[in-house]
Amino acid sequence: MGLLLEFLAQEDGRQLAGVDRSAHSLALARRRPMLSEARLEEGRAQELPFADDSFDACVSHMALMLMSEIEQVVAEVARVLSPGGVPACVVGGGAVGGEAYERFLGPYRSQWSGGAGMGCCLQPL
């Protein structure tokens, strides 16, 4: 988590937040000087600890395929995103692809089917 947030923190003016189930991972992320202002919370993506309409973007990098209750994760992302907010999800397709890939990204497509540019974002790596 820390490395991705640190990369995103390189642009001034961003207010960043992160969620992880691991207290150890959060402690490591908090050590990074560029994340001193980030809101880092222990929790699950199925129950995000943020208010409705809190963010203009939500990034999930190689994590969605490790989660259960994908539909609930998608619902939570939609809840915390402001109207017009952008969900960005990177999922490795690799050798699995096909049915497994659709299992994880199908709910995202359903939620944001009319979103501008979403088709280009929902492609396997």
Side-chain angles (χ1 to χ4, degrees), residues 2-87:
L3 187 60
L4 178 58
L5 278 176
E6 194 170 53
F7 174 77
L8 294 171
Q10 291 178 9
E11 187 170 318
D12 290 336
R14 288 186 172 157
Q15 295 179 349
L16 301 174
V19 175
D20 201 298
R21 291 181 66 177
S22 167
H24 178 72
S25 292
L26 289 165
L28 292 174
R30 287 184 179 108
R31 288 185 188 168
R32 296 175 181 268
M34 290 185 73
L35 301 183
S36 62
E37 301 296 318
R39 180 178 170 190
L40 303 176
E41 300 281 343
E42 188 170 347
R44 301 175 66 227
Q46 294 87 345
E47 300 173 35
L48 292 172
F50 306 112
D52 296 359
D53 303 329
S54 297
F55 301 99
D56 58 7
C58 180
V59 178
S60 173
H61 184 261
M62 302 300 284
L64 189 62
M65 64 262 200
L66 303 174
M67 297 178 196
S68 62
E69 304 168 3
I70 300 303
E71 290 80 7
Q72 182 61 32
V73 173
V74 171
E76 281 293 283
V77 169
R79 180 184 65 77
V80 302
L81 278 176
S82 299
V86 177

Side-chain angles (χ1 to χ4, degrees), residues 91-109:
V91 175
V96 217
E99 184 179 326
Y101 174 75
E102 285 304 317
R103 162 74 177 95
F104 296 110
L105 290 184
Y108 264 79
R109 282 197 178 107

